[in-house]
Amino acid sequence: MKRNRGPSSQMEKLLAVLAEAPTQWFYGYPLMKATGLQSGTLYPLLVRMEGQGLVASEWREPEQAGRPPRHAYRLTAGGIALARSLGERDAGVDGVLST
């Protein structure tokens, strides 16, 4: 039997950052800085999210000669929908708590 759990707090943090510019490609290091997640948390999370269809990745050629190619990540349509639903959920909770 498969459990249906919601996203972890780390995933919610990453979704929120990626949702700020959903069609933009991001590299891992700026995502680490924006989310505060360490590489040992961020990269496995990105791999899981890609497996779930929430994130797309592609290899990008380096902008400077002599540098290796890097993975870039962005939200898929499913990832954008999840990020929006989480944002709406949080906005609803904030609205309830502030009254």
Coordinates of all heavy atoms in Angstrom, one line a residue:
M1 N 0.8 -1.2 0.0 CA 0.0 0.0 0.0 C 0.9 1.2 0.0 O 1.8 1.4 0.8 CB -0.9 0.0 1.2 CG -1.9 1.1 1.2 SD -3.2 0.7 2.4 CE -2.9 2.0 3.6
K2 N 0.6 2.2 -0.9 CA 1.4 3.4 -1.0 C 0.8 4.5 -0.1 O -0.4 4.7 -0.1 CB 1.4 3.8 -2.5 CG 2.3 5.0 -2.7 CD 2.4 5.3 -4.2 CE 3.3 6.5 -4.5 NZ 3.3 6.8 -5.9
R3 N 1.7 5.1 0.6 CA 1.3 6.2 1.5 C 1.2 7.5 0.6 O 2.0 7.7 -0.3 CB 2.2 6.5 2.6 CG 2.3 5.3 3.6 CD 3.0 5.6 4.8 NE 4.4 6.0 4.5 CZ 5.3 6.3 5.4 NH1 4.9 6.3 6.7 NH2 6.5 6.6 5.1
N4 N 0.3 8.3 0.9 CA 0.1 9.6 0.2 C 0.4 10.7 1.2 O -0.4 11.2 1.9 CB -1.3 9.7 -0.3 CG -1.4 10.9 -1.3 OD1 -0.4 11.5 -1.7 ND2 -2.6 11.3 -1.6
R5 N 1.7 11.1 1.3 CA 2.2 12.2 2.1 C 2.3 13.5 1.4 O 2.6 13.5 0.2 CB 3.5 11.8 2.7 CG 3.5 10.7 3.7 CD 4.9 10.5 4.3 NE 5.8 10.0 3.3 CZ 7.0 9.6 3.6 NH1 7.5 9.7 4.8 NH2 7.8 9.1 2.7
G6 N 2.1 14.5 2.1 CA 2.3 15.8 1.5 C 3.8 16.1 1.3 O 4.7 15.4 1.8
P7 N 4.1 17.2 0.7 CA 5.6 17.6 0.5 C 6.2 18.0 1.8 O 5.6 18.5 2.7 CB 5.5 18.8 -0.5 CG 4.1 19.2 -0.5 CD 3.2 18.1 0.0
S8 N 7.5 17.6 1.9 CA 8.3 18.0 3.1 C 8.5 19.5 3.1 O 8.3 20.2 2.1 CB 9.7 17.3 3.0 OG 10.4 17.8 2.0
S9 N 8.9 20.0 4.3 CA 9.2 21.4 4.4 C 10.3 21.8 3.5 O 10.3 22.9 2.9 CB 9.5 21.8 5.8 OG 10.7 21.1 6.3
Q10 N 11.3 21.0 3.2 CA 12.4 21.3 2.3 C 11.8 21.4 0.9 O 12.2 22.3 0.1 CB 13.5 20.2 2.3 CG 14.3 20.2 3.6 CD 13.7 19.2 4.6 OE1 12.6 18.7 4.5 NE2 14.4 18.9 5.7
M11 N 10.9 20.5 0.5 CA 10.4 20.6 -0.8 C 9.5 21.8 -1.0 O 9.6 22.5 -2.0 CB 9.5 19.3 -1.2 CG 9.0 19.4 -2.6 SD 7.8 18.0 -3.0 CE 9.0 16.6 -3.1
E12 N 8.8 22.2 0.0 CA 7.9 23.4 0.0 C 8.8 24.6 -0.2 O 8.5 25.5 -1.0 CB 7.1 23.5 1.2 CG 5.9 22.5 1.3 CD 5.0 22.7 2.4 OE1 4.9 23.9 2.9 OE2 4.3 21.8 2.7
K13 N 10.0 24.7 0.5 CA 10.9 25.8 0.4 C 11.4 25.9 -1.0 O 11.5 26.9 -1.6 CB 12.0 25.5 1.4 CG 12.6 26.8 1.9 CD 13.8 26.4 2.9 CE 13.3 26.0 4.2 NZ 14.4 25.9 5.2
L14 N 11.8 24.7 -1.6 CA 12.4 24.7 -3.0 C 11.3 25.1 -4.0 O 11.6 25.8 -4.9 CB 13.0 23.3 -3.3 CG 13.6 23.1 -4.6 CD1 14.7 24.1 -4.9 CD2 14.2 21.7 -4.7
L15 N 10.1 24.5 -3.8 CA 9.0 24.9 -4.7 C 8.7 26.4 -4.7 O 8.5 27.0 -5.8 CB 7.7 24.1 -4.4 CG 7.7 22.7 -4.8 CD1 6.5 22.0 -4.1 CD2 7.5 22.6 -6.3
A16 N 8.8 27.0 -3.5 CA 8.5 28.4 -3.4 C 9.6 29.2 -4.2 O 9.2 30.2 -4.9 CB 8.5 28.8 -1.9
V17 N 10.8 28.8 -4.1 CA 11.9 29.6 -4.8 C 11.8 29.4 -6.3 O 11.8 30.4 -7.0 CB 13.3 29.1 -4.3 CG1 14.4 29.6 -5.2 CG2 13.5 29.5 -2.8
L18 N 11.5 28.2 -6.7 CA 11.4 27.9 -8.1 C 10.2 28.6 -8.7 O 10.2 29.0 -9.9 CB 11.4 26.4 -8.4 CG 12.7 25.6 -8.2 CD1 12.4 24.1 -8.2 CD2 13.7 26.0 -9.2
A19 N 9.1 28.7 -7.9 CA 7.9 29.3 -8.4 C 8.0 30.8 -8.6 O 7.1 31.4 -9.3 CB 6.7 29.0 -7.4
E20 N 9.0 31.4 -8.0 CA 9.2 32.9 -8.2 C 9.4 33.2 -9.7 O 9.1 34.3 -10.1 CB 10.3 33.4 -7.3 CG 9.9 33.4 -5.9 CD 11.1 33.8 -5.0 OE1 12.1 34.3 -5.5 OE2 11.0 33.6 -3.7
A21 N 10.0 32.3 -10.4 CA 10.3 32.4 -11.8 C 10.1 31.1 -12.5 O 11.1 30.4 -12.8 CB 11.7 33.0 -12.1
P22 N 8.9 30.6 -12.6 CA 8.7 29.2 -13.0 C 9.2 28.7 -14.3 O 9.4 27.5 -14.5 CB 7.1 29.0 -12.9 CG 6.6 30.4 -13.0 CD 7.7 31.3 -12.5
T23 N 9.4 29.6 -15.3 CA 10.0 29.2 -16.6 C 11.5 29.4 -16.7 O 12.1 29.0 -17.7 CB 9.3 30.0 -17.7 OG1 9.5 31.4 -17.6 CG2 7.8 29.7 -17.7
Q24 N 12.1 29.9 -15.7 CA 13.5 30.2 -15.7 C 14.3 28.9 -15.2 O 13.8 28.2 -14.4 CB 13.8 31.3 -14.7 CG 15.3 31.7 -14.6 CD 15.6 32.8 -13.7 OE1 14.7 33.6 -13.4 NE2 16.8 32.9 -13.2
W25 N 15.4 28.7 -15.8 CA 16.3 27.6 -15.5 C 17.2 28.1 -14.3 O 17.8 29.1 -14.4 CB 17.1 27.1 -16.6 CG 16.3 26.4 -17.7 CD1 15.8 27.0 -18.8 CD2 15.9 25.1 -17.7 NE1 15.0 26.1 -19.5 CE2 15.2 24.9 -18.9 CE3 16.2 24.0 -16.9 CZ2 14.6 23.6 -19.2 CZ3 15.7 22.7 -17.2 CH2 14.9 22.6 -18.4
F26 N 17.4 27.2 -13.3 CA 18.3 27.5 -12.2 C 19.3 26.4 -12.0 O 19.1 25.3 -12.2 CB 17.4 27.5 -10.9 CG 16.4 28.6 -10.7 CD1 15.1 28.4 -11.2 CD2 16.8 29.8 -10.2 CE1 14.2 29.4 -11.1 CE2 15.8 30.8 -10.0 CZ 14.6 30.6 -10.5
Y27 N 20.5 26.9 -11.6 CA 21.6 25.9 -11.2 C 21.5 25.6 -9.7 O 20.8 26.4 -9.0 CB 22.9 26.5 -11.5 CG 23.2 26.7 -13.0 CD1 23.3 28.0 -13.6 CD2 23.3 25.6 -13.9 CE1 23.5 28.2 -14.9 CE2 23.5 25.8 -15.2 CZ 23.6 27.1 -15.8 OH 23.8 27.2 -17.1
G28 N 22.1 24.6 -9.3 CA 22.0 24.1 -7.9 C 22.5 25.1 -6.9 O 21.9 25.3 -5.9
Y29 N 23.7 25.7 -7.2 CA 24.3 26.6 -6.2 C 23.4 27.8 -5.8 O 23.1 28.0 -4.6 CB 25.7 27.1 -6.6 CG 26.4 27.9 -5.6 CD1 26.9 27.3 -4.5 CD2 26.5 29.3 -5.7 CE1 27.6 28.0 -3.5 CE2 27.2 30.0 -4.7 CZ 27.7 29.4 -3.6 OH 28.3 30.1 -2.7
P30 N 22.8 28.5 -6.8 CA 21.9 29.6 -6.4 C 20.7 29.0 -5.7 O 20.1 29.7 -4.8 CB 21.5 30.2 -7.8 CG 22.6 29.9 -8.7 CD 23.1 28.5 -8.2
L31 N 20.2 27.8 -6.0 CA 19.1 27.2 -5.3 C 19.5 27.0 -3.8 O 18.7 27.1 -2.9 CB 18.6 26.0 -5.9 CG 17.9 26.2 -7.3 CD1 17.6 24.8 -7.9 CD2 16.6 27.0 -7.1
M32 N 20.7 26.5 -3.6 CA 21.2 26.3 -2.2 C 21.2 27.5 -1.4 O 20.8 27.6 -0.3 CB 22.6 25.7 -2.3 CG 22.7 24.2 -2.7 SD 24.3 23.5 -2.9 CE 25.3 24.4 -1.6
K33 N 21.7 28.6 -2.1 CA 21.7 29.9 -1.4 C 20.3 30.4 -1.1 O 20.1 31.0 0.0 CB 22.5 30.9 -2.2 CG 24.0 30.6 -2.3 CD 24.6 30.7 -0.9 CE 26.1 30.5 -1.0 NZ 26.6 30.4 0.4
A34 N 19.4 30.3 -2.0 CA 18.1 30.9 -1.9 C 17.2 30.1 -0.8 O 16.4 30.7 -0.1 CB 17.3 30.9 -3.2
T35 N 17.5 28.8 -0.8 CA 16.6 27.9 0.1 C 17.3 27.7 1.5 O 16.6 27.3 2.4 CB 16.4 26.6 -0.5 OG1 17.6 25.9 -0.8 CG2 15.6 26.7 -1.8
G36 N 18.6 27.8 1.5 CA 19.3 27.5 2.7 C 19.6 26.0 2.9 O 20.0 25.5 3.9
L37 N 19.2 25.2 1.9 CA 19.4 23.8 1.9 C 20.9 23.4 1.5 O 21.5 24.0 0.7 CB 18.5 23.1 0.9 CG 17.0 23.2 1.2 CD1 16.2 22.6 0.0 CD2 16.6 22.7 2.5
Q38 N 21.4 22.4 2.2 CA 22.7 21.9 1.9 C 22.7 21.0 0.6 O 21.6 20.5 0.3 CB 23.3 21.1 3.0 CG 23.4 21.9 4.3 CD 24.5 23.1 4.1 OE1 25.6 22.9 3.6 NE2 24.1 24.2 4.6
S39 N 23.8 20.8 0.0 CA 23.8 20.0 -1.3 C 23.4 18.6 -1.1 O 22.7 18.0 -1.9 CB 25.2 20.0 -1.9 OG 26.2 19.4 -1.0
G40 N 23.7 18.0 0.1 CA 23.2 16.7 0.4 C 21.7 16.5 0.6 O 21.2 15.4 0.5
T41 N 21.0 17.6 0.7 CA 19.6 17.6 0.8 C 19.0 18.1 -0.5 O 18.0 17.5 -1.0 CB 19.1 18.6 1.9 OG1 19.6 18.2 3.2 CG2 17.6 18.6 2.0
L42 N 19.6 19.1 -1.1 CA 19.0 19.7 -2.3 C 19.1 18.8 -3.5 O 18.0 18.6 -4.2 CB 19.8 21.0 -2.7 CG 19.3 21.7 -4.0 CD1 18.0 22.3 -3.8 CD2 20.3 22.7 -4.4
Y43 N 20.2 18.2 -3.8 CA 20.3 17.4 -5.0 C 19.5 16.1 -5.0 O 18.8 15.8 -6.0 CB 21.8 17.1 -5.4 CG 22.5 18.4 -5.8 CD1 23.4 19.1 -5.0 CD2 22.2 19.0 -7.1 CE1 24.0 20.2 -5.4 CE2 22.8 20.2 -7.4 CZ 23.7 20.8 -6.6 OH 24.3 22.0 -7.0
P44 N 19.5 15.4 -3.9 CA 18.5 14.2 -3.9 C 17.1 14.6 -4.0 O 16.3 13.9 -4.6 CB 18.8 13.6 -2.5 CG 20.2 14.0 -2.2 CD 20.4 15.4 -2.7
L45 N 16.8 15.8 -3.4 CA 15.4 16.3 -3.5 C 15.0 16.6 -4.9 O 14.0 16.3 -5.4 CB 15.2 17.5 -2.6 CG 13.9 18.2 -2.6 CD1 12.8 17.3 -2.2 CD2 13.9 19.4 -1.6
L46 N 16.0 17.3 -5.7 CA 15.7 17.6 -7.1 C 15.5 16.3 -7.9 O 14.7 16.3 -8.8 CB 16.9 18.4 -7.6 CG 16.9 19.9 -7.2 CD1 18.2 20.5 -7.5 CD2 15.8 20.7 -7.9
V47 N 16.3 15.3 -7.6 CA 16.2 14.0 -8.3 C 14.8 13.4 -8.1 O 14.2 12.9 -9.0 CB 17.3 13.0 -7.9 CG1 17.1 11.6 -8.4 CG2 18.7 13.6 -8.4
R48 N 14.4 13.4 -6.8 CA 13.1 12.9 -6.5 C 12.0 13.7 -7.1 O 11.0 13.1 -7.7 CB 12.8 12.9 -4.9 CG 13.4 11.7 -4.2 CD 12.9 11.5 -2.8 NE 13.0 12.7 -2.0 CZ 14.0 13.1 -1.3 NH1 15.1 12.4 -1.4 NH2 14.0 14.2 -0.6
M49 N 12.1 15.0 -7.1 CA 11.1 15.8 -7.7 C 11.0 15.6 -9.2 O 10.0 15.6 -9.8 CB 11.3 17.3 -7.4 CG 11.1 17.6 -5.9 SD 11.6 19.3 -5.5 CE 10.4 20.3 -6.4
E50 N 12.2 15.4 -9.8 CA 12.2 15.1 -11.3 C 11.5 13.7 -11.5 O 10.7 13.6 -12.5 CB 13.6 15.0 -11.8 CG 13.7 14.9 -13.3 CD 15.1 15.0 -13.9 OE1 16.0 14.8 -13.1 OE2 15.2 15.2 -15.1
G51 N 11.7 12.8 -10.7 CA 11.0 11.5 -10.8 C 9.5 11.6 -10.7 O 8.8 10.8 -11.2
Q52 N 9.1 12.5 -9.9 CA 7.7 12.8 -9.6 C 7.0 13.7 -10.7 O 5.9 14.0 -10.7 CB 7.4 13.4 -8.3 CG 7.8 12.5 -7.1 CD 7.8 13.2 -5.8 OE1 7.7 14.5 -5.7 NE2 8.0 12.5 -4.7
G53 N 7.9 14.2 -11.6 CA 7.4 15.0 -12.7 C 7.2 16.5 -12.3 O 6.5 17.2 -13.0
L54 N 7.8 16.9 -11.2 CA 7.6 18.2 -10.7 C 8.7 19.2 -11.2 O 8.4 20.4 -11.3 CB 7.6 18.3 -9.2 CG 6.5 17.4 -8.5 CD1 6.8 17.4 -7.0 CD2 5.2 17.9 -8.8
V55 N 9.8 18.6 -11.6 CA 11.0 19.4 -12.0 C 11.5 18.8 -13.3 O 11.6 17.6 -13.4 CB 12.1 19.5 -10.9 CG1 13.4 20.0 -11.4 CG2 11.6 20.2 -9.7
A56 N 12.0 19.6 -14.2 CA 12.7 19.2 -15.4 C 14.2 19.6 -15.2 O 14.4 20.6 -14.6 CB 12.1 19.8 -16.6
S57 N 15.1 18.8 -15.8 CA 16.5 19.1 -15.7 C 17.1 18.9 -17.1 O 16.6 18.2 -17.9 CB 17.2 18.3 -14.7 OG 17.4 17.0 -15.1
E58 N 18.1 19.7 -17.3 CA 18.9 19.5 -18.6 C 20.3 19.9 -18.4 O 20.6 20.7 -17.4 CB 18.3 20.3 -19.7 CG 18.4 21.8 -19.6 CD 17.8 22.5 -20.8 OE1 16.9 22.0 -21.4 OE2 18.3 23.6 -21.1
W59 N 21.2 19.3 -19.2 CA 22.6 19.7 -19.1 C 22.8 21.0 -19.9 O 22.3 21.2 -21.0 CB 23.5 18.7 -19.7 CG 23.7 17.5 -18.8 CD1 23.1 16.3 -18.9 CD2 24.6 17.4 -17.7 NE1 23.5 15.4 -17.9 CE2 24.4 16.1 -17.2 CE3 25.5 18.3 -17.1 CZ2 25.1 15.7 -16.1 CZ3 26.2 17.8 -16.0 CH2 26.0 16.6 -15.5
R60 N 23.5 21.9 -19.3 CA 23.8 23.2 -19.9 C 25.3 23.3 -20.1 O 26.1 23.0 -19.3 CB 23.4 24.4 -19.0 CG 21.9 24.6 -18.8 CD 21.4 25.2 -20.1 NE 20.0 25.4 -20.1 CZ 19.3 26.5 -19.9 NH1 20.0 27.6 -19.6 NH2 18.0 26.6 -20.0
E61 N 25.7 23.8 -21.3 CA 27.1 24.0 -21.7 C 27.6 25.2 -20.9 O 26.9 26.1 -20.6 CB 27.3 24.2 -23.1 CG 27.0 23.0 -24.0 CD 28.0 21.8 -23.6 OE1 29.2 22.1 -23.4 OE2 27.5 20.7 -23.5
P62 N 28.9 25.2 -20.5 CA 29.4 26.2 -19.7 C 29.5 27.6 -20.4 O 29.6 27.6 -21.7 CB 30.8 25.7 -19.3 CG 31.2 24.8 -20.4 CD 29.9 24.1 -20.8
E63 N 29.3 28.6 -19.7 CA 29.4 30.0 -20.3 C 30.9 30.4 -20.4 O 31.2 31.2 -21.3 CB 28.7 31.0 -19.4 CG 27.2 30.7 -19.4 CD 26.4 31.5 -18.3 OE1 27.1 32.4 -17.7 OE2 25.2 31.3 -18.2
Q64 N 31.8 29.8 -19.6 CA 33.2 30.1 -19.7 C 33.9 28.8 -20.2 O 33.6 27.7 -19.8 CB 33.8 30.4 -18.3 CG 33.2 31.7 -17.7 CD 33.7 31.9 -16.3 OE1 34.4 31.1 -15.7 NE2 33.3 33.1 -15.7
A65 N 34.9 29.0 -21.1 CA 35.7 27.9 -21.6 C 36.4 27.2 -20.5 O 36.9 27.8 -19.5 CB 36.7 28.4 -22.7
G66 N 36.5 25.9 -20.6 CA 37.2 25.1 -19.6 C 36.4 24.7 -18.4 O 36.9 24.0 -17.5
R67 N 35.2 25.1 -18.3 CA 34.3 24.7 -17.2 C 33.5 23.5 -17.6 O 33.1 23.4 -18.8 CB 33.4 25.9 -16.8 CG 34.1 27.2 -16.5 CD 34.6 27.2 -15.1 NE 33.5 26.9 -14.1 CZ 33.5 27.2 -12.9 NH1 34.5 27.8 -12.4 NH2 32.6 26.8 -12.1
P68 N 33.1 22.7 -16.7 CA 32.3 21.5 -17.1 C 30.8 21.9 -17.3 O 30.3 22.9 -16.8 CB 32.4 20.6 -15.9 CG 32.7 21.5 -14.8 CD 33.5 22.6 -15.3
P69 N 30.1 21.1 -18.1 CA 28.6 21.3 -18.2 C 28.0 21.2 -16.8 O 28.5 20.5 -15.9 CB 28.1 20.2 -19.1 CG 29.3 19.6 -19.7 CD 30.5 19.9 -18.8
R70 N 26.8 21.8 -16.6 CA 26.1 21.7 -15.4 C 24.6 21.4 -15.6 O 24.1 21.8 -16.7 CB 26.2 23.0 -14.6 CG 27.6 23.5 -14.3 CD 27.6 24.7 -13.4 NE 27.0 25.9 -14.0 CZ 26.8 27.0 -13.3 NH1 27.1 27.1 -12.1 NH2 26.3 28.0 -13.9
H71 N 24.0 20.8 -14.6 CA 22.6 20.6 -14.7 C 21.8 21.9 -14.3 O 22.3 22.7 -13.5 CB 22.1 19.6 -13.6 CG 21.9 18.2 -14.2 ND1 22.7 17.2 -13.8 CD2 21.0 17.7 -15.0 CE1 22.3 16.1 -14.5 NE2 21.3 16.4 -15.2
A72 N 20.8 22.2 -15.0 CA 19.9 23.3 -14.7 C 18.5 22.7 -14.5 O 18.1 21.7 -15.0 CB 19.8 24.3 -15.9
Y73 N 17.7 23.4 -13.6 CA 16.4 22.8 -13.2 C 15.4 23.9 -13.3 O 15.6 25.1 -13.1 CB 16.5 22.4 -11.7 CG 17.6 21.4 -11.4 CD1 18.9 21.9 -11.0 CD2 17.4 20.1 -11.5 CE1 19.9 21.0 -10.8 CE2 18.4 19.2 -11.3 CZ 19.6 19.6 -10.9 OH 20.7 18.8 -10.7
R74 N 14.1 23.5 -13.6 CA 13.0 24.4 -13.6 C 11.7 23.6 -13.3 O 11.7 22.3 -13.5 CB 12.8 25.2 -14.8 CG 12.3 24.5 -16.0 CD 12.1 25.4 -17.2 NE 11.7 24.6 -18.4 CZ 11.6 25.2 -19.6 NH1 11.8 26.4 -19.7 NH2 11.2 24.4 -20.6
L75 N 10.7 24.2 -12.9 CA 9.4 23.6 -12.6 C 8.7 23.1 -13.9 O 8.8 23.8 -15.0 CB 8.5 24.5 -11.9 CG 8.8 24.8 -10.5 CD1 7.8 25.8 -9.9 CD2 8.8 23.6 -9.6
T76 N 8.0 22.0 -13.9 CA 7.2 21.5 -14.9 C 5.8 22.1 -14.6 O 5.6 22.7 -13.6 CB 7.1 20.0 -14.9 OG1 6.5 19.6 -13.7 CG2 8.4 19.3 -15.1
A77 N 4.8 21.8 -15.5 CA 3.5 22.3 -15.3 C 2.9 21.7 -14.0 O 2.2 22.4 -13.2 CB 2.6 21.9 -16.5
G78 N 3.2 20.4 -13.7 CA 2.8 19.8 -12.5 C 3.4 20.4 -11.2 O 2.8 20.6 -10.2
G79 N 4.7 20.8 -11.3 CA 5.4 21.5 -10.3 C 4.8 22.9 -10.0 O 4.7 23.3 -8.9
I80 N 4.5 23.6 -11.1 CA 3.9 24.9 -11.0 C 2.5 24.8 -10.3 O 2.2 25.6 -9.4 CB 3.7 25.6 -12.3 CG1 5.1 25.9 -12.9 CG2 2.9 26.8 -12.3 CD1 5.1 26.3 -14.4
A81 N 1.7 23.8 -10.7 CA 0.4 23.6 -10.1 C 0.5 23.3 -8.6 O -0.2 23.8 -7.8 CB -0.3 22.5 -10.8
L82 N 1.5 22.4 -8.2 CA 1.7 22.1 -6.8 C 2.1 23.3 -6.0 O 1.6 23.6 -4.9 CB 2.7 21.0 -6.6 CG 3.0 20.6 -5.2 CD1 1.8 20.1 -4.5 CD2 4.1 19.5 -5.2
A83 N 3.1 24.1 -6.6 CA 3.6 25.3 -5.9 C 2.4 26.3 -5.7 O 2.3 26.9 -4.6 CB 4.7 25.9 -6.7
R84 N 1.6 26.4 -6.7 CA 0.4 27.4 -6.5 C -0.6 26.9 -5.5 O -1.1 27.7 -4.7 CB -0.3 27.5 -7.9 CG 0.5 28.4 -8.8 CD -0.3 28.7 -10.1 NE 0.5 29.6 -11.0 CZ 0.5 29.5 -12.3 NH1 -0.3 28.7 -12.9 NH2 1.2 30.3 -13.0
S85 N -0.8 25.6 -5.5 CA -1.8 25.0 -4.5 C -1.2 25.2 -3.1 O -2.0 25.5 -2.1 CB -2.1 23.6 -4.8 OG -1.1 22.7 -4.5
L86 N 0.1 25.0 -2.9 CA 0.7 25.2 -1.6 C 0.6 26.7 -1.2 O 0.4 27.0 0.0 CB 2.1 24.7 -1.6 CG 2.3 23.2 -1.7 CD1 3.8 22.8 -1.9 CD2 1.7 22.5 -0.5
G87 N 0.9 27.6 -2.1 CA 0.8 29.0 -1.9 C -0.6 29.4 -1.5 O -0.8 30.2 -0.5
E88 N -1.6 28.9 -2.1 CA -3.0 29.2 -1.8 C -3.3 28.7 -0.4 O -4.0 29.3 0.4 CB -3.9 28.6 -2.9 CG -3.8 29.4 -4.2 CD -4.6 28.7 -5.3 OE1 -5.2 27.6 -5.0 OE2 -4.5 29.2 -6.4
R89 N -2.8 27.4 -0.1 CA -3.1 26.8 1.2 C -2.5 27.7 2.3 O -3.1 28.0 3.3 CB -2.5 25.4 1.2 CG -2.7 24.7 2.6 CD -1.7 23.6 2.8 NE -0.4 24.2 3.0 CZ 0.7 23.5 3.0 NH1 0.7 22.2 2.8 NH2 1.9 24.0 3.2
D90 N -1.2 28.1 2.1 CA -0.6 28.9 3.1 C -1.2 30.3 3.2 O -1.4 30.8 4.3 CB 0.9 29.1 2.7 CG 1.7 27.8 2.9 OD1 1.2 26.9 3.5 OD2 2.8 27.7 2.3
A91 N -1.7 30.9 2.1 CA -2.4 32.2 2.2 C -3.7 32.0 3.0 O -4.1 32.9 3.7 CB -2.7 32.7 0.8
G92 N -4.4 30.9 2.8 CA -5.6 30.6 3.5 C -5.4 30.5 5.0 O -6.1 31.0 5.8
V93 N -4.3 29.8 5.4 CA -3.9 29.6 6.8 C -3.5 31.0 7.4 O -4.0 31.3 8.5 CB -2.7 28.6 6.9 CG1 -2.2 28.6 8.3 CG2 -3.2 27.2 6.6
D94 N -2.7 31.8 6.6 CA -2.4 33.1 7.1 C -3.6 34.0 7.4 O -3.7 34.7 8.3 CB -1.4 33.8 6.2 CG 0.0 33.1 6.1 OD1 0.3 32.4 7.1 OD2 0.7 33.4 5.2
G95 N -4.5 33.9 6.4 CA -5.8 34.7 6.6 C -6.6 34.3 7.8 O -7.1 35.1 8.5
V96 N -6.6 33.0 8.1 CA -7.3 32.5 9.2 C -6.6 32.9 10.5 O -7.3 33.4 11.5 CB -7.5 31.0 9.2 CG1 -8.0 30.4 10.5 CG2 -8.4 30.5 8.1
L97 N -5.3 32.9 10.5 CA -4.6 33.2 11.8 C -4.6 34.7 12.0 O -4.4 35.1 13.2 CB -3.1 32.7 11.7 CG -3.0 31.2 11.6 CD1 -1.6 30.8 11.4 CD2 -3.5 30.5 12.9
S98 N -4.7 35.5 11.0 CA -4.6 37.0 11.2 C -5.9 37.6 11.6 O -5.9 38.8 11.9 CB -4.0 37.6 9.9 OG -5.0 37.5 8.9
T99 N -7.0 36.8 11.6 CA -8.3 37.4 12.0 C -8.6 37.2 13.4 O -8.0 36.5 14.1 CB -9.4 36.8 11.1 OG1 -9.4 35.4 11.3 CG2 -9.3 37.2 9.7

